[in-house]
Amino acid sequence: MIHVEIIQPTKKGLKPFIQLPFDIYKHDKNWAPPNRKDLIRTLTGKDNEFFSRGIQRYFLAHDDEMPVARVLAGIDLRMSTRVGETVGYICLFESFENFEYAQAVLDAAMRFLREHGVKKVYGPVAPRYDLLNRGVLVDGFDGPPVLQNAYNTPALPQILEKYGFEKWRDYLAYDIPVDTIPIDRILSMANRIRNRFGFRVEHVNFNRSNLIRVAQDIAAVIGEATPDEPGSYMPTPEDLLQLFKRIKPWLRNQSAVMAYAGNKPIGVVIGFLDSSPSVIGTDGRNTPWNWLRRVIKTPQTKTARCPAQYVIPEYQNKAVNTVLLAEAVRGAKSLGITRIEGSLVDETHIQSVNNTQSAGGKLYRRYRVYQLSI
């Protein structure tokens, strides 16, 4: 018999909620498990502004005693205040391939959201403000995700659509072979471009003493370059500090650059090393064996992910992005990187799409955020 329980956001209470995808994907060689400790900290609200400024409920469906589907449903008070309507969301949706399991847990989540005045729901979104995860994979199931991107089977979006969710927006992932980017030609013109438009380029310094300034500058650029709208989330400096903390093993100064006009940050391009090779096949725990695997695998990775490529409107169409990208790629090559995934590129941001394609990017994956009127 299928029944749904509300999970308490404690370390003990969340254990079966977190374990479920480990059971669903235990035979899937492409699944890259999350770090359990980091996820517990996120879901218990530690260092997570997304939760501290919202209301959440955790729902877990059982078939008799066996957990079979889960979802987190919530209200984003920060976004609701900005857009003037109560915005609901779902995240961490997982289910075995049985529509009745998914329907049970989604029905419970929608009842909760309706009771709190929500009329439209977006998702799946990440359970925190970050740059790495949005939507569910709907195209490109032939390999593992790159640096904490979403991963799921084709059944998951099919279940959401059968339930009544409709496409809101797609976020695109591009495969960019490093050798296709004409770095030398761009950099030969870089000084002339910088002098003409009055900006300079600096590599990001991820040293601990400099992180607050880095987070403030990147948040300022993203906030100015991206419009506010339901379903989109602008990271604060604190959000970015927590992101850098979570992915510290894959941060490299060489592949992250910012542009400044005087003291004003005007653009950013960041590349992080891919974490998937070091976590696939692990149990998501902080054991000595998993630590050793990460130490060995991380320097061997040939893939980086570029999740942040922003220029403020005043400096768009002035080759700022081109110079930033060339500098970041030159740094990535020095680390042995041969391939970059550019993601997540909002399909409605035509300039970002064009910039990525002009850099040699080939669309190879698509992630979808859905919407549902309730």
Side-chain angles (χ1 to χ4, degrees), residues 80-143:
S80 298
T81 299
R82 288 208 299 262
V83 302
E85 62 177 318
T86 305
V87 178
Y89 65 85
I90 61 169
C91 62
L92 297 176
F93 172 58
E94 295 283 1
S95 176
F96 282 100
E97 295 184 15
N98 182 318
F99 181 71
E100 291 184 356
Y101 295 161
Q103 184 178 35
V105 80
L106 289 171
D107 281 349
M110 296 309 111
R111 281 195 298 271
F112 160 72
L113 292 173
R114 279 194 295 268
E115 289 169 359
H116 285 79
V118 172
K119 291 185 171 55
K120 182 159 284 190
V121 183
Y122 296 90
V125 299
R128 54 202 168 206
Y129 296 106
D130 71 19
L131 305 172
L132 301 180
N133 189 293
R134 198 168 296 162
V136 293
L137 182 65
V138 296
D139 185 30
F141 299 92
D142 56 346

Short mmCIF file of all heavy atoms in Angstrom, two decimals, residues 80-143:
data_model
loop_
_atom_site.label_atom_id
_atom_site.label_comp_id
_atom_site.label_asym_id
_atom_site.label_seq_id
_atom_site.Cartn_x
_atom_site.Cartn_y
_atom_site.Cartn_z
N SER A 80 9.32 35.65 -3.86
CA SER A 80 7.93 36.09 -3.79
C SER A 80 7.84 37.58 -3.51
O SER A 80 7.01 38.29 -4.08
CB SER A 80 7.18 35.30 -2.70
OG SER A 80 7.14 33.92 -3.00
N THR A 81 8.71 38.07 -2.63
CA THR A 81 8.72 39.50 -2.31
C THR A 81 9.10 40.32 -3.53
O THR A 81 8.51 41.37 -3.81
CB THR A 81 9.71 39.77 -1.16
OG1 THR A 81 9.29 39.05 -0.01
CG2 THR A 81 9.76 41.25 -0.84
N ARG A 82 10.08 39.83 -4.30
CA ARG A 82 10.55 40.60 -5.45
C ARG A 82 9.54 40.65 -6.58
O ARG A 82 9.40 41.67 -7.25
CB ARG A 82 11.87 40.00 -5.97
CG ARG A 82 13.06 40.26 -5.06
CD ARG A 82 14.36 40.28 -5.83
NE ARG A 82 14.62 39.02 -6.50
CZ ARG A 82 15.43 38.07 -6.02
NH1 ARG A 82 16.00 38.24 -4.85
NH2 ARG A 82 15.65 36.97 -6.70
N VAL A 83 8.84 39.54 -6.83
CA VAL A 83 7.95 39.49 -8.00
C VAL A 83 6.50 39.78 -7.64
O VAL A 83 5.65 39.89 -8.52
CB VAL A 83 8.05 38.13 -8.72
CG1 VAL A 83 9.47 37.88 -9.17
CG2 VAL A 83 7.54 36.99 -7.84
N GLY A 84 6.18 39.89 -6.34
CA GLY A 84 4.84 40.27 -5.93
C GLY A 84 3.80 39.17 -6.02
O GLY A 84 2.61 39.45 -6.10
N GLU A 85 4.22 37.91 -5.99
CA GLU A 85 3.29 36.79 -5.95
C GLU A 85 3.93 35.66 -5.17
O GLU A 85 5.16 35.60 -5.03
CB GLU A 85 2.91 36.33 -7.35
CG GLU A 85 4.08 35.81 -8.17
CD GLU A 85 3.67 35.29 -9.53
OE1 GLU A 85 2.64 34.60 -9.62
OE2 GLU A 85 4.38 35.57 -10.51
N THR A 86 3.11 34.77 -4.63
CA THR A 86 3.63 33.66 -3.84
C THR A 86 4.15 32.58 -4.78
O THR A 86 3.38 31.97 -5.53
CB THR A 86 2.54 33.07 -2.93
OG1 THR A 86 2.00 34.13 -2.12
CG2 THR A 86 3.12 32.00 -2.02
N VAL A 87 5.45 32.37 -4.76
CA VAL A 87 6.11 31.47 -5.69
C VAL A 87 6.40 30.14 -4.99
O VAL A 87 7.09 30.10 -3.97
CB VAL A 87 7.43 32.08 -6.21
CG1 VAL A 87 8.14 31.10 -7.14
CG2 VAL A 87 7.14 33.39 -6.94
N GLY A 88 5.88 29.06 -5.55
CA GLY A 88 6.15 27.73 -5.03
C GLY A 88 7.15 27.01 -5.90
O GLY A 88 7.32 27.33 -7.08
N TYR A 89 7.81 26.02 -5.32
CA TYR A 89 8.79 25.27 -6.09
C TYR A 89 8.83 23.82 -5.60
O TYR A 89 8.37 23.50 -4.49
CB TYR A 89 10.19 25.88 -5.97
CG TYR A 89 10.76 25.84 -4.57
CD1 TYR A 89 11.44 24.72 -4.10
CD2 TYR A 89 10.61 26.91 -3.70
CE1 TYR A 89 11.95 24.66 -2.81
CE2 TYR A 89 11.11 26.87 -2.41
CZ TYR A 89 11.78 25.74 -1.98
OH TYR A 89 12.28 25.69 -0.70
N ILE A 90 9.37 22.96 -6.43
CA ILE A 90 9.72 21.60 -6.02
C ILE A 90 11.19 21.38 -6.33
O ILE A 90 11.74 21.99 -7.25
CB ILE A 90 8.86 20.52 -6.71
CG1 ILE A 90 9.05 20.55 -8.23
CG2 ILE A 90 7.40 20.66 -6.32
CD1 ILE A 90 8.45 19.34 -8.95
N CYS A 91 11.82 20.52 -5.56
CA CYS A 91 13.19 20.12 -5.86
C CYS A 91 13.45 18.73 -5.29
O CYS A 91 12.63 18.18 -4.54
CB CYS A 91 14.20 21.14 -5.33
SG CYS A 91 14.21 21.38 -3.57
N LEU A 92 14.58 18.16 -5.71
CA LEU A 92 15.01 16.83 -5.26
C LEU A 92 13.93 15.77 -5.54
O LEU A 92 13.78 14.81 -4.79
CB LEU A 92 15.37 16.85 -3.77
CG LEU A 92 16.55 17.75 -3.40
CD1 LEU A 92 16.74 17.76 -1.89
CD2 LEU A 92 17.83 17.30 -4.08
N PHE A 93 13.20 15.95 -6.64
CA PHE A 93 12.18 14.97 -7.00
C PHE A 93 12.85 13.72 -7.57
O PHE A 93 13.66 13.79 -8.49
CB PHE A 93 11.23 15.57 -8.04
CG PHE A 93 10.25 14.58 -8.61
CD1 PHE A 93 9.38 13.89 -7.79
CD2 PHE A 93 10.21 14.33 -9.98
CE1 PHE A 93 8.48 12.97 -8.30
CE2 PHE A 93 9.31 13.42 -10.51
CZ PHE A 93 8.44 12.74 -9.67
N GLU A 94 12.52 12.58 -6.98
CA GLU A 94 13.01 11.29 -7.46
C GLU A 94 11.91 10.26 -7.27
O GLU A 94 11.11 10.35 -6.33
CB GLU A 94 14.25 10.82 -6.68
CG GLU A 94 15.48 11.69 -6.83
CD GLU A 94 16.20 11.48 -8.16
OE1 GLU A 94 15.72 10.67 -8.98
OE2 GLU A 94 17.24 12.13 -8.37
N SER A 95 11.88 9.28 -8.18
CA SER A 95 10.88 8.22 -8.06
C SER A 95 11.35 7.00 -8.83
O SER A 95 11.99 7.13 -9.89
CB SER A 95 9.53 8.69 -8.62
OG SER A 95 8.58 7.64 -8.60
N PHE A 96 11.04 5.83 -8.29
CA PHE A 96 11.14 4.65 -9.13
C PHE A 96 10.16 4.80 -10.28
O PHE A 96 9.23 5.62 -10.23
CB PHE A 96 10.82 3.39 -8.31
CG PHE A 96 11.95 2.94 -7.42
CD1 PHE A 96 11.94 3.24 -6.06
CD2 PHE A 96 13.01 2.22 -7.94
CE1 PHE A 96 12.98 2.83 -5.24
CE2 PHE A 96 14.05 1.80 -7.12
CZ PHE A 96 14.04 2.11 -5.77
N GLU A 97 10.36 4.03 -11.34
CA GLU A 97 9.56 4.21 -12.56
C GLU A 97 8.17 3.62 -12.40
O GLU A 97 7.81 2.61 -13.01
CB GLU A 97 10.31 3.62 -13.75
CG GLU A 97 11.61 4.36 -14.06
CD GLU A 97 12.32 3.85 -15.29
OE1 GLU A 97 11.68 3.11 -16.07
OE2 GLU A 97 13.50 4.17 -15.48
N ASN A 98 7.39 4.30 -11.59
CA ASN A 98 6.00 3.91 -11.32
C ASN A 98 5.22 5.20 -11.08
O ASN A 98 5.48 5.92 -10.11
CB ASN A 98 5.94 3.00 -10.09
CG ASN A 98 4.53 2.52 -9.77
OD1 ASN A 98 3.57 3.28 -9.84
ND2 ASN A 98 4.41 1.25 -9.40
N PHE A 99 4.28 5.51 -11.97
CA PHE A 99 3.58 6.79 -11.88
C PHE A 99 2.81 6.93 -10.58
O PHE A 99 2.70 8.03 -10.02
CB PHE A 99 2.63 6.97 -13.07
CG PHE A 99 1.90 8.28 -13.04
CD1 PHE A 99 2.56 9.47 -13.29
CD2 PHE A 99 0.54 8.32 -12.73
CE1 PHE A 99 1.89 10.69 -13.24
CE2 PHE A 99 -0.13 9.53 -12.68
CZ PHE A 99 0.54 10.72 -12.94
N GLU A 100 2.26 5.84 -10.06
CA GLU A 100 1.49 5.93 -8.82
C GLU A 100 2.36 6.38 -7.65
O GLU A 100 1.89 7.12 -6.77
CB GLU A 100 0.84 4.58 -8.52
CG GLU A 100 -0.27 4.21 -9.50
CD GLU A 100 -0.96 2.91 -9.11
OE1 GLU A 100 -0.51 2.28 -8.12
OE2 GLU A 100 -1.93 2.53 -9.78
N TYR A 101 3.61 5.95 -7.64
CA TYR A 101 4.52 6.40 -6.58
C TYR A 101 4.71 7.92 -6.67
O TYR A 101 4.60 8.65 -5.67
CB TYR A 101 5.88 5.73 -6.72
CG TYR A 101 5.91 4.24 -6.52
CD1 TYR A 101 6.98 3.48 -6.99
CD2 TYR A 101 4.88 3.58 -5.84
CE1 TYR A 101 7.03 2.10 -6.79
CE2 TYR A 101 4.93 2.20 -5.65
CZ TYR A 101 6.00 1.47 -6.13
OH TYR A 101 6.05 0.11 -5.93
N ALA A 102 5.04 8.39 -7.88
CA ALA A 102 5.28 9.81 -8.07
C ALA A 102 4.01 10.63 -7.81
O ALA A 102 4.07 11.71 -7.19
CB ALA A 102 5.79 10.06 -9.49
N GLN A 103 2.90 10.14 -8.27
CA GLN A 103 1.63 10.86 -8.09
C GLN A 103 1.32 11.05 -6.62
O GLN A 103 0.88 12.13 -6.20
CB GLN A 103 0.50 10.08 -8.78
CG GLN A 103 -0.84 10.80 -8.74
CD GLN A 103 -1.91 10.00 -9.47
OE1 GLN A 103 -1.92 8.77 -9.45
NE2 GLN A 103 -2.81 10.70 -10.13
N ALA A 104 1.56 10.04 -5.82
CA ALA A 104 1.26 10.13 -4.39
C ALA A 104 2.07 11.23 -3.72
O ALA A 104 1.54 12.05 -2.96
CB ALA A 104 1.53 8.79 -3.72
N VAL A 105 3.36 11.28 -4.02
CA VAL A 105 4.22 12.26 -3.35
C VAL A 105 3.97 13.67 -3.90
O VAL A 105 4.00 14.66 -3.16
CB VAL A 105 5.70 11.83 -3.45
CG1 VAL A 105 6.32 12.18 -4.79
CG2 VAL A 105 6.52 12.40 -2.32
N LEU A 106 3.69 13.78 -5.20
CA LEU A 106 3.40 15.09 -5.78
C LEU A 106 2.04 15.62 -5.32
O LEU A 106 1.88 16.82 -5.08
CB LEU A 106 3.45 15.02 -7.31
CG LEU A 106 4.85 14.84 -7.91
CD1 LEU A 106 4.76 14.56 -9.41
CD2 LEU A 106 5.72 16.07 -7.66
N ASP A 107 1.06 14.74 -5.17
CA ASP A 107 -0.25 15.17 -4.64
C ASP A 107 -0.09 15.79 -3.25
O ASP A 107 -0.67 16.84 -2.94
CB ASP A 107 -1.21 13.99 -4.57
CG ASP A 107 -1.83 13.63 -5.91
OD1 ASP A 107 -1.68 14.43 -6.87
OD2 ASP A 107 -2.46 12.56 -6.00
N ALA A 108 0.71 15.14 -2.41
CA ALA A 108 0.92 15.66 -1.06
C ALA A 108 1.62 17.02 -1.10
O ALA A 108 1.26 17.94 -0.35
CB ALA A 108 1.75 14.66 -0.25
N ALA A 109 2.59 17.15 -1.99
CA ALA A 109 3.32 18.42 -2.11
C ALA A 109 2.41 19.53 -2.62
O ALA A 109 2.46 20.67 -2.12
CB ALA A 109 4.51 18.24 -3.05
N MET A 110 1.56 19.24 -3.60
CA MET A 110 0.68 20.27 -4.15
C MET A 110 -0.36 20.71 -3.11
O MET A 110 -0.72 21.89 -3.05
CB MET A 110 -0.01 19.76 -5.42
CG MET A 110 0.94 19.47 -6.58
SD MET A 110 2.07 20.82 -7.00
CE MET A 110 3.65 20.10 -6.48
N ARG A 111 -0.85 19.79 -2.29
CA ARG A 111 -1.79 20.17 -1.23
C ARG A 111 -1.13 21.15 -0.27
O ARG A 111 -1.73 22.16 0.12
CB ARG A 111 -2.26 18.92 -0.47
CG ARG A 111 -3.33 18.12 -1.17
CD ARG A 111 -4.00 17.13 -0.23
NE ARG A 111 -3.06 16.15 0.30
CZ ARG A 111 -2.77 15.00 -0.29
NH1 ARG A 111 -3.35 14.68 -1.44
NH2 ARG A 111 -1.93 14.16 0.26
N PHE A 112 0.09 20.86 0.11
CA PHE A 112 0.82 21.75 1.01
C PHE A 112 0.98 23.14 0.40
O PHE A 112 0.75 24.16 1.07
CB PHE A 112 2.19 21.14 1.32
CG PHE A 112 3.21 22.12 1.82
CD1 PHE A 112 3.13 22.65 3.09
CD2 PHE A 112 4.27 22.52 1.00
CE1 PHE A 112 4.07 23.57 3.55
CE2 PHE A 112 5.21 23.43 1.45
CZ PHE A 112 5.11 23.96 2.72
N LEU A 113 1.35 23.21 -0.87
CA LEU A 113 1.57 24.50 -1.51
C LEU A 113 0.26 25.27 -1.67
O LEU A 113 0.22 26.49 -1.44
CB LEU A 113 2.25 24.30 -2.87
CG LEU A 113 3.70 23.78 -2.80
CD1 LEU A 113 4.22 23.47 -4.20
CD2 LEU A 113 4.61 24.78 -2.11
N ARG A 114 -0.82 24.59 -2.04
CA ARG A 114 -2.11 25.27 -2.15
C ARG A 114 -2.55 25.85 -0.81
O ARG A 114 -3.10 26.96 -0.74
CB ARG A 114 -3.17 24.30 -2.69
CG ARG A 114 -3.14 24.13 -4.21
CD ARG A 114 -4.41 23.45 -4.70
NE ARG A 114 -4.52 22.09 -4.19
CZ ARG A 114 -4.07 21.01 -4.83
NH1 ARG A 114 -3.47 21.14 -6.00
NH2 ARG A 114 -4.21 19.82 -4.29
N GLU A 115 -2.31 25.10 0.26
CA GLU A 115 -2.69 25.58 1.59
C GLU A 115 -1.95 26.85 1.98
O GLU A 115 -2.42 27.61 2.84
CB GLU A 115 -2.41 24.48 2.63
CG GLU A 115 -3.36 23.30 2.53
CD GLU A 115 -2.90 22.12 3.38
OE1 GLU A 115 -1.82 22.24 4.03
OE2 GLU A 115 -3.59 21.09 3.40
N HIS A 116 -0.81 27.11 1.34
CA HIS A 116 -0.03 28.31 1.63
C HIS A 116 -0.19 29.38 0.55
O HIS A 116 0.63 30.29 0.44
CB HIS A 116 1.45 27.94 1.80
CG HIS A 116 1.74 27.27 3.11
ND1 HIS A 116 1.47 25.94 3.34
CD2 HIS A 116 2.25 27.76 4.29
CE1 HIS A 116 1.82 25.63 4.58
NE2 HIS A 116 2.29 26.70 5.17
N GLY A 117 -1.24 29.27 -0.24
CA GLY A 117 -1.58 30.33 -1.18
C GLY A 117 -0.85 30.31 -2.50
O GLY A 117 -0.92 31.27 -3.27
N VAL A 118 -0.15 29.22 -2.79
CA VAL A 118 0.58 29.12 -4.06
C VAL A 118 -0.38 28.77 -5.18
O VAL A 118 -1.22 27.88 -5.04
CB VAL A 118 1.70 28.06 -3.96
CG1 VAL A 118 2.34 27.82 -5.33
CG2 VAL A 118 2.74 28.48 -2.95
N LYS A 119 -0.24 29.48 -6.29
CA LYS A 119 -1.06 29.19 -7.47
C LYS A 119 -0.23 28.66 -8.63
O LYS A 119 -0.76 28.07 -9.56
CB LYS A 119 -1.83 30.43 -7.90
CG LYS A 119 -2.93 30.84 -6.91
CD LYS A 119 -3.74 32.00 -7.42
CE LYS A 119 -4.96 32.24 -6.54
NZ LYS A 119 -4.63 32.43 -5.13
N LYS A 120 1.08 28.90 -8.58
CA LYS A 120 1.95 28.38 -9.64
C LYS A 120 3.22 27.83 -9.01
O LYS A 120 3.81 28.44 -8.12
CB LYS A 120 2.29 29.46 -10.67
CG LYS A 120 3.15 28.95 -11.82
CD LYS A 120 3.06 29.83 -13.05
CE LYS A 120 1.76 29.59 -13.80
NZ LYS A 120 1.76 30.26 -15.13
N VAL A 121 3.63 26.66 -9.52
CA VAL A 121 4.79 25.95 -9.00
C VAL A 121 5.83 25.82 -10.11
O VAL A 121 5.48 25.52 -11.26
CB VAL A 121 4.40 24.54 -8.51
CG1 VAL A 121 5.61 23.83 -7.90
CG2 VAL A 121 3.26 24.62 -7.51
N TYR A 122 7.09 26.04 -9.75
CA TYR A 122 8.20 25.88 -10.69
C TYR A 122 9.12 24.78 -10.18
O TYR A 122 9.25 24.55 -8.98
CB TYR A 122 9.00 27.18 -10.81
CG TYR A 122 8.21 28.33 -11.41
CD1 TYR A 122 7.48 29.19 -10.60
CD2 TYR A 122 8.20 28.54 -12.78
CE1 TYR A 122 6.76 30.24 -11.14
CE2 TYR A 122 7.48 29.59 -13.33
CZ TYR A 122 6.76 30.43 -12.51
OH TYR A 122 6.04 31.46 -13.05
N GLY A 123 9.80 24.13 -11.12
CA GLY A 123 10.80 23.16 -10.70
C GLY A 123 10.96 22.01 -11.68
O GLY A 123 10.31 21.99 -12.72
N PRO A 124 11.82 21.09 -11.31
CA PRO A 124 12.66 21.08 -10.12
C PRO A 124 13.76 22.14 -10.16
O PRO A 124 14.32 22.43 -11.21
CB PRO A 124 13.28 19.68 -10.12
CG PRO A 124 12.40 18.85 -11.00
CD PRO A 124 11.92 19.81 -12.05
N VAL A 125 14.03 22.72 -8.99
CA VAL A 125 15.13 23.65 -8.82
C VAL A 125 16.09 23.06 -7.79
O VAL A 125 15.80 22.03 -7.18
CB VAL A 125 14.64 25.04 -8.37
CG1 VAL A 125 13.70 25.65 -9.40
CG2 VAL A 125 13.94 24.96 -7.01
N ALA A 126 17.22 23.70 -7.61
CA ALA A 126 18.18 23.24 -6.60
C ALA A 126 17.66 23.60 -5.20
O ALA A 126 16.93 24.58 -5.04
CB ALA A 126 19.54 23.88 -6.83
N PRO A 127 18.06 22.85 -4.17
CA PRO A 127 17.60 23.14 -2.81
C PRO A 127 18.40 24.26 -2.14
O PRO A 127 18.44 24.35 -0.92
CB PRO A 127 17.82 21.81 -2.08
CG PRO A 127 19.00 21.22 -2.76
CD PRO A 127 18.86 21.61 -4.22
N ARG A 128 19.03 25.09 -2.95
CA ARG A 128 19.81 26.22 -2.44
C ARG A 128 20.07 27.14 -3.63
O ARG A 128 19.91 26.75 -4.78
CB ARG A 128 21.14 25.73 -1.85
CG ARG A 128 21.95 24.88 -2.81
CD ARG A 128 22.94 24.00 -2.09
NE ARG A 128 23.51 22.99 -2.97
CZ ARG A 128 23.99 21.83 -2.57
NH1 ARG A 128 23.98 21.53 -1.28
NH2 ARG A 128 24.49 20.96 -3.42
N TYR A 129 20.49 28.35 -3.34
CA TYR A 129 20.87 29.27 -4.41
C TYR A 129 22.27 28.89 -4.88
O TYR A 129 23.24 29.03 -4.14
CB TYR A 129 20.87 30.71 -3.91
CG TYR A 129 19.52 31.23 -3.48
CD1 TYR A 129 19.22 31.39 -2.14
CD2 TYR A 129 18.55 31.56 -4.42
CE1 TYR A 129 17.99 31.88 -1.73
CE2 TYR A 129 17.32 32.04 -4.03
CZ TYR A 129 17.04 32.21 -2.68
OH TYR A 129 15.82 32.68 -2.30
N ASP A 130 22.39 28.41 -6.11
CA ASP A 130 23.72 28.17 -6.65
C ASP A 130 23.67 28.24 -8.17
O ASP A 130 22.63 28.53 -8.77
CB ASP A 130 24.34 26.86 -6.14
CG ASP A 130 23.68 25.61 -6.70
OD1 ASP A 130 23.00 25.69 -7.73
OD2 ASP A 130 23.86 24.53 -6.10
N LEU A 131 24.79 27.97 -8.81
CA LEU A 131 24.91 28.12 -10.26
C LEU A 131 24.97 26.77 -10.97
O LEU A 131 25.11 26.74 -12.19
CB LEU A 131 26.20 28.89 -10.59
CG LEU A 131 26.39 30.25 -9.94
CD1 LEU A 131 27.79 30.78 -10.23
CD2 LEU A 131 25.34 31.24 -10.44
N LEU A 132 24.85 25.67 -10.23
CA LEU A 132 25.25 24.38 -10.78
C LEU A 132 24.12 23.46 -11.18
O LEU A 132 24.33 22.55 -11.98
CB LEU A 132 26.15 23.65 -9.77
CG LEU A 132 27.43 24.37 -9.35
CD1 LEU A 132 28.20 23.53 -8.34
CD2 LEU A 132 28.30 24.69 -10.55
N ASN A 133 22.93 23.64 -10.64
CA ASN A 133 21.90 22.62 -10.82
C ASN A 133 20.54 23.28 -11.02
O ASN A 133 20.13 24.10 -10.20
CB ASN A 133 21.88 21.70 -9.60
CG ASN A 133 21.00 20.50 -9.79
OD1 ASN A 133 19.79 20.61 -9.89
ND2 ASN A 133 21.61 19.33 -9.84
N ARG A 134 19.88 22.89 -12.11
CA ARG A 134 18.56 23.45 -12.39
C ARG A 134 17.81 22.51 -13.32
O ARG A 134 18.34 22.08 -14.34
CB ARG A 134 18.70 24.83 -13.04
CG ARG A 134 17.46 25.69 -12.99
CD ARG A 134 17.79 27.11 -13.39
NE ARG A 134 18.70 27.74 -12.45
CZ ARG A 134 19.42 28.82 -12.71
NH1 ARG A 134 19.36 29.38 -13.90
NH2 ARG A 134 20.21 29.33 -11.79
N GLY A 135 16.59 22.17 -12.96
CA GLY A 135 15.76 21.36 -13.84
C GLY A 135 16.11 19.88 -13.79
O GLY A 135 16.89 19.41 -12.96
N VAL A 136 15.50 19.14 -14.72
CA VAL A 136 15.80 17.72 -14.90
C VAL A 136 16.33 17.52 -16.31
O VAL A 136 16.00 18.26 -17.23
CB VAL A 136 14.55 16.82 -14.68
CG1 VAL A 136 14.12 16.85 -13.23
CG2 VAL A 136 13.41 17.23 -15.59
N LEU A 137 17.16 16.53 -16.46
CA LEU A 137 17.72 16.20 -17.76
C LEU A 137 16.61 15.67 -18.67
O LEU A 137 15.90 14.74 -18.31
CB LEU A 137 18.82 15.15 -17.58
CG LEU A 137 19.58 14.70 -18.83
CD1 LEU A 137 20.39 15.85 -19.41
CD2 LEU A 137 20.50 13.53 -18.48
N VAL A 138 16.47 16.29 -19.86
CA VAL A 138 15.45 15.83 -20.81
C VAL A 138 16.06 15.38 -22.14
O VAL A 138 15.38 14.78 -22.96
CB VAL A 138 14.39 16.92 -21.08
CG1 VAL A 138 13.60 17.23 -19.82
CG2 VAL A 138 15.00 18.19 -21.66
N ASP A 139 17.34 15.66 -22.35
CA ASP A 139 17.99 15.26 -23.59
C ASP A 139 19.48 15.13 -23.34
O ASP A 139 20.10 16.05 -22.82
CB ASP A 139 17.73 16.30 -24.68
CG ASP A 139 18.28 15.87 -26.03
OD1 ASP A 139 18.35 14.66 -26.29
OD2 ASP A 139 18.66 16.75 -26.83
N GLY A 140 20.06 13.96 -23.70
CA GLY A 140 21.49 13.74 -23.52
C GLY A 140 21.78 12.83 -22.34
O GLY A 140 22.48 13.22 -21.40
N PHE A 141 21.25 11.61 -22.41
CA PHE A 141 21.37 10.67 -21.29
C PHE A 141 22.56 9.71 -21.45
O PHE A 141 22.61 8.68 -20.79
CB PHE A 141 20.08 9.84 -21.17
CG PHE A 141 18.84 10.65 -20.91
CD1 PHE A 141 18.06 11.10 -21.96
CD2 PHE A 141 18.46 10.96 -19.62
CE1 PHE A 141 16.91 11.84 -21.73
CE2 PHE A 141 17.32 11.71 -19.38
CZ PHE A 141 16.54 12.15 -20.44
N ASP A 142 23.51 10.06 -22.32
CA ASP A 142 24.53 9.10 -22.72
C ASP A 142 25.81 9.16 -21.91
O ASP A 142 26.81 8.53 -22.27
CB ASP A 142 24.87 9.30 -24.20
CG ASP A 142 25.30 10.74 -24.50
OD1 ASP A 142 25.07 11.61 -23.64
OD2 ASP A 142 25.84 10.98 -25.59
N GLY A 143 25.83 9.90 -20.82
CA GLY A 143 27.05 9.98 -20.03
C GLY A 143 26.78 10.61 -18.68
O GLY A 143 25.67 11.07 -18.39
#
